[in-house]
Amino acid sequence: MDLEEAKEFKERCTQCAAVSWGLTDEGKYYCTSCHNVTERSKEVINTGAIPNTKIQAINRGLKRKRKLEKGWDWYVCEGFQQILYQQAEALKTLGVGPKLKDEVLHNFWKRYLQKSKQAYCKNPVYTRGRKATVLEDNPSHSDWDSEPDLLSDFSCPSFVESGPDSQLDSRTQKPFPISKASQSASICSGSLDGVKYSQQKEKGIVKMTVPRTLAFCYLSLLWQRETITLSDLLRFVEEGHIPYINAFQHFPEEMKLYGRDKGIFAIESWPAYEDIYKKMIEIAKFLDLPRFPDITEDCYLHPDILCMKYLMEVNLPDEMNDLTYQVVKMTGIGEVDFLTFDPIAKMAKTVKYDIQAVAVIVIVLKLLFLLDDNLEWTLSNIAEKYNEKNKEDKPWFDFRKWYQVMKKSVDEKKQKWEEARAKYVWKSEKPLYHSSIDRAVVYKRREMVVSLQKQFSALTDSAPTVEKKSPSSFQFNWTEGDSAGTCFHGHSLQGILKKKGQSLTTKNSLYWLSTQKFCRSYCKHVTTYEESNFSLSYQFIINLFSFLLRIKASSLHEEVSLIEKRLFKRKYSKTQKKSRSRKRRKY
Amino acid sequence: MSDFSEELIESKTEDDQEESYVFSGTGMSFPWLQNHIGTIATGGKKEKDFAQTTSACLSFIQEALLKHQWQQAAEYMHSYLQILEDSDSHKRQAAPEIIWKLGSEILFYHPKSNMETFNTFADRMKNIGVMNYLKISLQHALYLVHHGMLEDANRNLSHAETWRYGEKSSSQEVLINLIQAYKGLLQYYTWSKKKLELSTLDEDDYAYNAASQSMLNHSCKTSVNLGALIQTPGVWDPFVKSYVEMLEFYGDRDGAREVLTNYAYDEKFPSNPNAHVYLYNFLKREKAPREKLISVLKILYQIVPSHKLMLEFHSLLRKSEKEDHRKLGLEVLFGVLDFAGCTKNITAWKYLAKYLRQILMGNHLAWVQEEWNSRKNWWPDFHFSSFWAKNDWKEDKTLACEKALVAGILLGKGCRYFRFISKQDDEVLRKKIKRIKKSVENHSIVNPGL
């Protein structure tokens, strides 16, 4: 009907020169081909003289503001889909196979929409079956069409989301920005269901959040058994290789975000390991996923391989691989059933592959050096003397020297990391605001910040302040045979092992447990980590690895304790008769 | 699956609620606490990383400023500016002032910065938030003054002066007064330059009249500007001084006296020794009666007993007819010499030596003893050690002689200082030392019989 009334306006559009006008709710003409809104309104043309010109001016001001808020009709879940799409693309550029995006993540997401009754089901939450097409390269991908029974019922108006929406006619399905629905929705959010979404608290439904997009990514990586661990994924996010913070910036121009969308899509924290891990299990359970593909010995996530990787990363001798291999074998943490994620199992859990591998290395270091701030230095003295005398031979591993090299490089890395974090640009170029009243203020503030920033960046060198690192699963780089002699990969463990019959045994025959007694009370803490209770070497090792994985030191300590519990099962079953457990170990 | 693996999962769920959220909302910051907070891993409703990194960024800026690394500071500043977009309105509102302080510091010292950048920065910052406009305007003007751009500074202050924003809060009112006063100070500067010019001109010259006329114009404006601030309690030394100078120049002695008296005696004003010094100097110029001068200095004596005017105060008291004034005269001298900075003040020692003799001859032994009792424990080591005897003798023989006389009177012939000086054999001073020995013999308060 709007189009009918607008027929009398025959001027050409200033933007696209078309003569195709519609009327907005305020009675202004807008161009239906380019959505340019004119300053002229129907009343002005018809009546000619409006007594109070002030009203007109105010009206015009309002108009201009509203024009910018209009965009496509879109739903919150489409926003998340957009983010997932970007993340999947980023993973692809990181070298992950294309299957991850097109099959795995796509299916997980479809399943999520179905489970959360947003699409692909008989009674979707939204009346209008708007096809979620952003994830696909080709909007009319066969996948969507091949499952008609899953798709929502277009013509079924039985479920309406809110009052004004019930009057929707078929016209709103056109890719046409101005509809009554969008106008009523635009009061509090750019998306159609932003307000409703943020209030929604349905039991049993896992609501989508931005951190959960990463859980989706990780689930897909795990399904594909890709060579990216959770800590790697989160590090790539922090380094900006995977869109996360301000991911909404790259939404299509027409997807406007404001109001409640801000609370849904704006993120001011980096993802935390424990949090994403938790969310991942939660989503896998919610999606009712079957058992994941087996993690076998040739998978990257298998502790043997990860141990090898982390030994290289922290510059420890390759010979330690034998020991990690044995610990993995003895504790049974390398078995397929243990490693494979099965969300349907009674107590769904998955292994924190990276933390576990690192914990194994910590245990091996404890076996070799005891790490009591004493034995490791004694052994270092012996190795140092040996190395001085036998310069030609393969050098013995000198813990002290290794400590010095690592301490220095970790401290430098940490410093750089902290500086880079401090310089992190959080705020998007596209600021989000709560309501149209805020809009001008928010944009002005943004402008001001940009102009101030320009001033200060003029003072700094032309070089970018934070150089972007190219993504790598290694954070340190140790090359054999460099002049400084800082690479320990080729060093031998001879000074620390001794022959006993056929096998080699560690010279050190003592061991201390990271946790004597596990907490069994309702707090569900397995153990606690009070740094000062432990030796300095142990603290250093724990801090080194937890920095590498960007996790809390306590999580690693806990993992070490849990593996020790498996390793020294007998000791624990004797119910801690002695306060300090000592044990002989043979290999 | 072993049972611990269940614990493994369960343990995570509780983790987040267990650890509490630590954040200090006060403006104070303890660096070690900051670090400690950083290491406490928090979960659940934790501080957002944005807040954490901006505060880290702030400490990096502060560190860079401390080390004069302007380049780095500017880099971090670039990131810190994000705080202006913080969703926490408290932080957002506190930010402009911090940014202004740090940013102006950076721009002041940064080698690539110049007047223009600073001015643009100041103009931008003025318009962020209402409460900062005046403060920044004033500091901007001071920056301009520092760079000798008096006219620009004056223009800036004039702008700020006329700035109004709804209901002014009382703090803003003081700021406006301060801005006006600084404007006044700038005008005073021009005025006193003109005054200097005038003094070189001949009174009959035509230019003289014009110059004096424009001087008068300046002074009118200035007194208006300065007057308001001086009424408000505070320490306004430079403003008061220049205001009084102008008043005096135009012969308004009563006005000047009123201003100074008010400045010195109004109880609402913080205690300020300079207020009394200005009043005293003014009264001295006016040739006010001794009684009046003494009463002004008495207050100064209570605030700053070591002030250099105390010796003048002593002279005034010494000449007074009143006995308690003369007693106070002794107190004042002792008081001056209590201070380490005055130990080598030869005039003070000279006065003391002379006055002690005078008082003892006037039979006021009790006065001396009263002063000495509280000092006899520490003055011998503080003033009259053998180290000082050697040192004083080497550096200033006259001082040594005066001190020896005082030491002898107060401590008797046996004291180290007196003995050392009296043993010295010096051609020029032989006579003087002999006189000293005699004086000590006659006046020493220590009973030689004991």
Side-chain angles (χ1 to χ4, degrees):
Chain A
M1 60 173 181
D2 284 355
L3 292 175
E4 277 302 309
E5 282 173 21
K7 267 184 180 161
E8 55 202 24
F9 190 51
K10 287 280 187 283
E11 271 174 44
R12 280 193 181 279
C13 171
T14 49
Q15 301 260 314
C16 66
V19 188
S20 163
W21 299 102
L23 264 184
T24 65
D25 275 6
E26 281 89 356
K28 298 218 167 174
Y29 293 101
Y30 65 87
C31 174
T32 54
S33 55
C34 71
H35 309 142
N36 171 38
V37 180
T38 61
E39 295 294 4
R40 302 182 61 175
S41 58
K42 193 167 152 55
E43 289 81 18
V44 179
I45 294 167
N46 281 351
T47 55
I50 278 179
N52 195 346
T53 46
K54 214 170 187 179
I55 291 172
Q56 209 187 334
I58 289 165
N59 210 6
R60 194 177 296 154
L62 282 172
K63 189 71 238 156
R64 217 174 280 136
K65 252 183 229 160
R66 301 213 75 178
K67 186 175 85 179
L68 283 157
E69 287 165 19
K70 277 171 193 151
W72 287 342
D73 287 353
W74 62 280
Y75 289 96
V76 170
C77 70
E78 288 176 292
F80 287 118
Q81 186 169 305
Q82 205 15 267
I83 294 174
L84 282 171
Y85 172 77
Q86 289 173 28
Q87 287 170 342
E89 282 293 329
L91 284 171
K92 220 162 94 179
T93 53
L94 286 177
V96 171
K99 257 190 166 179
L100 178 118
K101 174 175 155 258
D102 297 338
E103 286 174 23
V104 185
L105 183 56
H106 177 204
N107 272 314
F108 284 169
W109 178 242
K110 226 159 65 180
R111 209 173 164 112
Y112 172 78
L113 290 177
Q114 189 183 357
K115 288 270 179 194
S116 59
K117 299 198 183 82
Q118 297 187 71
Y120 306 105
C121 58
K122 286 281 181 228
N123 254 348
V125 195
Y126 312 114
T127 26
R128 285 160 300 139
R130 291 177 40 83
K131 281 191 277 180
T133 53
V134 198
L135 190 62
E136 284 304 305
D137 286 328
N138 179 3
S140 59
H141 194 278
S142 60
D143 243 358
W144 301 96
D145 301 323
S146 63
E147 295 174 53
D149 56 324
L150 282 176
L151 286 171
S152 56
D153 196 348
F154 281 77
S155 54
C156 174
S158 62
F159 193 98
V160 284
E161 68 172 313
S162 60
D165 277 4
S166 60
Q167 271 115 51
L168 290 175
D169 51 17
S170 60
R171 258 197 314 123
T172 47
Q173 282 209 18
K174 291 176 191 168
F176 193 59
I178 300 135
S179 69
K180 280 173 191 156
S182 73
Q183 300 232 318
S184 65
S186 72
I187 296 163
C188 299
S189 73
S191 56
L192 284 177
D193 59 338
V195 178
K196 188 168 167 274
Y197 192 87
S198 48
Q199 287 161 351
Q200 182 191 323
K201 266 185 201 149
E202 201 173 325
K203 228 183 159 188
I205 285 198
V206 175
K207 248 168 88 173
M208 206 47 201
T209 59
V210 181
R212 287 205 171 99
T213 59
L214 289 177
F216 266 99
C217 288
Y218 183 60
L219 274 176
S220 327
L221 288 168
L222 189 57
W223 188 276
Q224 286 299 93
R225 293 177 289 184
E226 285 289 348
T227 56
I228 293 181
T229 60
L230 181 52
S231 60
D232 287 334
L233 178 75
L234 302 186
R235 190 161 50 82
F236 291 150
V237 167
E238 202 187 293
E239 286 169 6
H241 302 303
I242 294 170
Y244 180 73
I245 285 148
N246 294 334
F248 61 85
Q249 267 191 107
H250 307 293
F251 283 8
E253 188 62 30
E254 293 82 0
M255 277 171 82
K256 303 289 180 199
L257 286 99
Y258 52 87
R260 292 302 177 94
D261 302 333
K262 187 177 175 184
I264 301 171
F265 291 104
I267 287 289
E268 290 198 333
S269 280
W270 285 295
Y273 191 102
E274 299 292 341
D275 182 48
I276 303 296
Y277 173 80
K278 226 166 62 188
K279 290 192 159 67
M280 175 204 118
I281 294 177
E282 187 185 43
I283 287 174
K285 274 167 117 179
F286 176 68
L287 298 184
D288 217 10
L289 294 177
R291 187 180 149 113
F292 275 49
D294 285 351
I295 306 284
T296 51
E297 277 167 33
D298 51 355
C299 288
Y300 179 73
L301 295 177
H302 192 276
D304 286 345
I305 295 178
L306 276 179
C307 279
M308 210 184 289
K309 187 233 156 178
Y310 287 116
L311 281 175
M312 274 170 80
E313 174 87 301
V314 298
N315 203 9
L316 283 168
D318 300 336
E319 281 181 25
M320 275 176 71
N321 270 321
D322 285 343
L323 298 164
T324 59
Y325 176 75
Q326 293 203 43
V327 170
V328 168
K329 209 168 163 196
M330 288 179 72
T331 50
I333 56 173
E335 277 153 33
V336 174
D337 283 342
F338 177 80
L339 289 171
T340 307
F341 180 35
D342 190 356
I344 310 180
K346 196 172 139 241
M347 278 307 288
K349 65 113 207 159
T350 182
V351 176
K352 297 166 180 169
Y353 303 95
D354 35 13
I355 303 187
Q356 181 188 266
V358 156
V360 169
I361 296 175
V362 174
I363 289 172
V364 168
L365 283 170
K366 274 171 83 179
L367 286 167
L368 288 172
F369 297 102
L370 194 60
L371 302 185
D372 64 345
D373 282 346
N374 185 17
L375 186 70
E376 62 269 39
W377 308 125
T378 317
L379 291 171
S380 302
N381 290 339
I382 297 169
E384 196 183 344
K385 270 185 203 140
Y386 174 86
N387 289 344
E388 266 170 34
K389 277 185 206 156
N390 307 281
K391 289 199 170 142
E392 302 300 304
D393 295 8
K394 191 176 182 186
W396 284 6
F397 178 70
D398 180 345
F399 185 86
R400 181 183 291 119
K401 215 175 142 204
W402 174 81
Y403 166 80
Q404 284 160 352
V405 169
M406 286 314 286
K407 173 91 178 130
K408 188 165 162 274
S409 21
V410 168
D411 285 351
E412 277 167 17
K413 234 297 107 80
K414 222 172 194 164
Q415 178 71 23
K416 271 199 193 132
W417 176 70
E418 272 163 13
E419 286 172 8
R421 276 167 77 100
K423 284 181 187 170
Y424 191 83
V425 180
W426 290 95
K427 297 296 173 183
S428 81
E429 294 141 27
K430 212 160 91 175
L432 296 182
Y433 47 93
H434 279 298
S435 65
S436 50
I437 308 156
D438 282 351
R439 193 179 171 280
V441 182
V442 168
Y443 270 85
K444 203 186 149 208
R445 211 178 275 148
R446 178 74 225 160
E447 227 169 78
M448 198 168 64
V449 169
V450 169
S451 71
L452 283 169
Q453 278 179 337
K454 219 181 269 167
Q455 200 171 13
F456 279 95
S457 54
L459 293 180
T460 60
D461 283 333
S462 49
T465 46
V466 186
E467 77 269 33
K468 203 166 176 174
K469 280 176 264 169
S470 57
S472 163
S473 50
F474 282 96
Q475 298 172 64
F476 289 105
N477 189 17
W478 311 102
T479 40
E480 206 112 16
D482 59 348
S483 53
T486 51
C487 178
F488 293 84
H489 291 154
H491 288 212
S492 95
L493 297 178
Q494 255 193 334
I496 321 160
L497 300 173
K498 63 178 179 198
K499 260 217 156 75
K500 195 165 186 186
Q502 285 290 320
S503 58
L504 279 170
T505 321
T506 55
K507 264 192 188 164
N508 163 42
S509 58
L510 302 174
Y511 195 83
W512 54 272
L513 294 167
S514 292
T515 299
Q516 297 291 327
K517 210 172 176 181
F518 287 90
C519 180
R520 292 200 174 274
S521 65
Y522 291 106
C523 73
K524 287 170 186 166
H525 266 111
V526 178
T527 178
T528 52
Y529 179 55
E530 174 60 49
E531 206 176 43
S532 53
N533 290 344
F534 293 91
S535 67
L536 293 171
S537 317
Y538 183 73
Q539 285 178 35
F540 171 74
I541 303 269
I542 291 282
N543 287 334
L544 164 68
F545 282 115
S546 49
F547 169 68
L548 221 54
L549 302 185
R550 313 279 196 266
I551 53 171
K552 285 187 268 179
S554 58
S555 326
L556 178 54
H557 174 75
E558 189 174 286
E559 192 72 28
V560 169
S561 305
L562 289 172
I563 296 177
E564 277 176 356
K565 196 180 171 190
R566 297 175 79 98
L567 192 60
F568 300 100
K569 225 177 274 163
R570 259 184 307 142
K571 263 270 130 47
Y572 276 106
S573 59
K574 279 184 210 155
T575 60
Q576 291 97 36
K577 273 177 207 153
K578 282 180 281 179
S579 65
R580 195 171 175 87
S581 180
R582 298 187 161 183
K583 175 143 177 140
R584 255 177 190 280
R585 294 225 47 81
K586 277 180 196 169
Y587 285 99
Chain B
M1 254 182 263
S2 56
D3 55 350
F4 87 78
S5 50
E6 294 168 17
E7 293 170 11
L8 176 82
I9 294 166
E10 292 308 311
S11 68
K12 307 300 159 226
T13 49
E14 281 304 301
D15 236 16
D16 292 341
Q17 285 98 57
E18 277 298 306
E19 274 135 346
S20 58
Y21 159 70
V22 185
F23 179 72
S24 124
T26 63
M28 281 196 285
S29 105
F30 304 95
W32 55 268
L33 187 63
Q34 196 91 40
N35 291 338
H36 188 58
I37 291 168
T39 56
I40 294 175
T42 48
K45 280 185 184 168
K46 63 166 186 171
E47 188 182 28
K48 283 182 177 154
D49 285 337
F50 171 69
Q52 200 208 317
T53 60
T54 41
S55 81
C57 192
L58 179 61
S59 8
F60 276 120
I61 299 175
Q62 287 164 338
E63 198 186 318
L65 287 180
L66 211 62
K67 294 179 181 165
H68 290 213
Q69 296 166 337
W70 315 118
Q71 174 87 17
Q72 268 100 315
E75 272 173 43
Y76 285 116
M77 198 65 194
H78 182 269
S79 305
Y80 187 68
L81 289 166
Q82 291 181 93
I83 201 165
L84 289 170
E85 290 180 275
D86 199 324
S87 44
D88 180 342
S89 60
H90 271 293
K91 283 192 190 164
R92 200 172 58 221
Q93 277 155 20
E97 195 173 337
I98 301 171
I99 290 176
W100 162 249
K101 282 183 183 157
L102 299 175
S104 54
E105 187 88 350
I106 294 169
L107 292 177
F108 189 82
Y109 290 107
H110 197 288
K112 276 193 206 162
S113 162
N114 54 33
M115 196 71 112
E116 206 180 319
T117 24
F118 192 94
N119 289 344
T120 358
F121 178 65
D123 285 336
R124 281 212 184 103
M125 291 312 294
K126 274 178 211 170
N127 294 310
I128 298 177
V130 189
M131 296 310 276
N132 296 308
Y133 186 88
L134 292 178
K135 243 184 265 178
I136 294 177
S137 294
L138 185 56
Q139 286 173 33
H140 185 199
L142 294 180
Y143 171 84
L144 292 169
V145 169
H146 181 89
H147 285 267
M149 311 199 38
L150 299 185
E151 264 175 49
D152 286 323
N154 196 33
R155 199 174 321 120
N156 240 297
L157 290 173
S158 304
H159 272 300
E161 190 186 21
T162 53
W163 178 88
R164 291 291 180 275
Y165 190 85
E167 296 275 301
K168 281 182 295 175
S169 66
S170 58
S171 70
Q172 300 275 299
E173 209 164 344
V174 174
L175 271 173
I176 289 184
N177 281 342
L178 199 59
I179 281 167
Q180 284 171 340
Y182 268 103
K183 215 178 129 191
L185 210 58
L186 282 177
Q187 284 158 351
Y188 162 79
Y189 178 75
T190 339
W191 177 83
S192 67
K193 253 199 336 203
K194 289 233 162 74
K195 197 174 103 177
L196 206 70
E197 267 170 43
L198 203 63
S199 63
T200 61
L201 289 173
D202 190 1
E203 265 188 55
D204 301 325
D205 199 335
Y206 171 73
Y208 181 87
N209 271 332
S212 72
Q213 191 57 47
S214 86
M215 229 176 103
L216 200 64
N217 282 341
H218 267 285
S219 74
C220 283
K221 278 191 273 176
T222 314
S223 30
V224 172
N225 281 327
L226 291 173
L229 180 74
I230 290 169
Q231 299 300 319
T232 6
V235 178
W236 313 119
D237 291 352
F239 305 103
V240 170
K241 242 177 123 176
S242 34
Y243 188 42
V244 167
E245 188 187 333
M246 293 176 77
L247 288 175
E248 273 191 275
F249 186 82
Y250 291 106
D252 187 2
R253 302 201 140 263
D254 293 335
R257 193 182 307 111
E258 199 190 316
V259 167
L260 285 172
T261 318
N262 185 51
Y263 191 53
Y265 288 112
D266 194 327
E267 278 176 4
K268 287 197 287 289
F269 280 65
S271 159
N272 177 7
N274 284 342
H276 302 283
V277 175
Y278 296 153
L279 182 61
Y280 171 75
N281 285 334
F282 175 77
L283 292 174
K284 214 167 94 176
R285 281 199 296 275
E286 253 197 344
K287 306 230 166 21
R290 192 195 297 146
E291 200 68 12
K292 183 128 196 164
L293 293 174
I294 286 176
S295 73
V296 174
L297 286 181
K298 221 178 207 167
I299 299 172
L300 184 63
Y301 170 64
Q302 271 149 21
I303 313 174
V304 197
S306 63
H307 199 278
K308 61 174 186 262
L309 276 178
M310 285 306 114
L311 294 176
E312 233 174 295
F313 183 39
H314 165 77
S315 320
L316 285 171
L317 291 169
R318 195 174 53 202
K319 286 177 210 146
S320 172
E321 285 90 37
K322 284 191 190 160
E323 195 150 272
D324 57 334
H325 278 171
R326 292 213 302 278
K327 184 169 180 256
L328 185 64
L330 187 68
E331 228 178 285
V332 167
L333 276 181
F334 270 106
V336 167
L337 290 168
D338 278 346
F339 287 88
C342 304
T343 46
K344 291 194 174 167
N345 189 328
I346 184 156
T347 331
W349 285 111
K350 208 182 258 169
Y351 279 179
L352 185 60
K354 206 170 141 196
Y355 202 52
L356 274 175
R357 262 186 312 182
Q358 194 185 322
I359 284 198
L360 289 169
M361 278 197 285
N363 281 329
H364 289 298
L365 180 66
W367 295 359
V368 181
Q369 263 163 347
E370 194 183 310
E371 292 305 315
W372 181 241
N373 273 342
S374 62
R375 291 178 174 88
K376 66 181 173 198
N377 288 331
W378 59 285
W379 266 40
D381 288 330
F382 184 58
H383 287 306
F384 306 130
S385 65
S386 26
F387 166 76
W388 278 121
K390 278 178 215 157
N391 208 51
D392 290 341
W393 184 255
K394 215 163 79 193
E395 281 180 9
D396 187 348
K397 293 195 171 57
T398 351
L399 173 72
C401 287
E402 297 299 339
K403 272 177 87 172
L405 178 53
V406 175
I409 291 174
L410 294 172
L411 287 163
K413 280 193 289 190
C415 96
R416 282 165 298 177
Y417 199 97
F418 178 74
R419 275 216 316 261
F420 181 84
I421 303 295
S422 58
K423 265 189 262 168
Q424 297 304 315
D425 198 28
D426 188 281
E427 286 290 325
V428 193
L429 291 170
R430 190 171 291 153
K431 246 187 192 163
K432 190 168 182 183
I433 290 172
K434 212 170 168 184
R435 234 182 14 251
I436 291 170
K437 279 184 189 162
K438 210 174 162 195
S439 292
V440 169
E441 203 104 353
N442 292 337
H443 300 295
S444 180
I445 60 167
V446 182
N447 194 337
L450 284 173

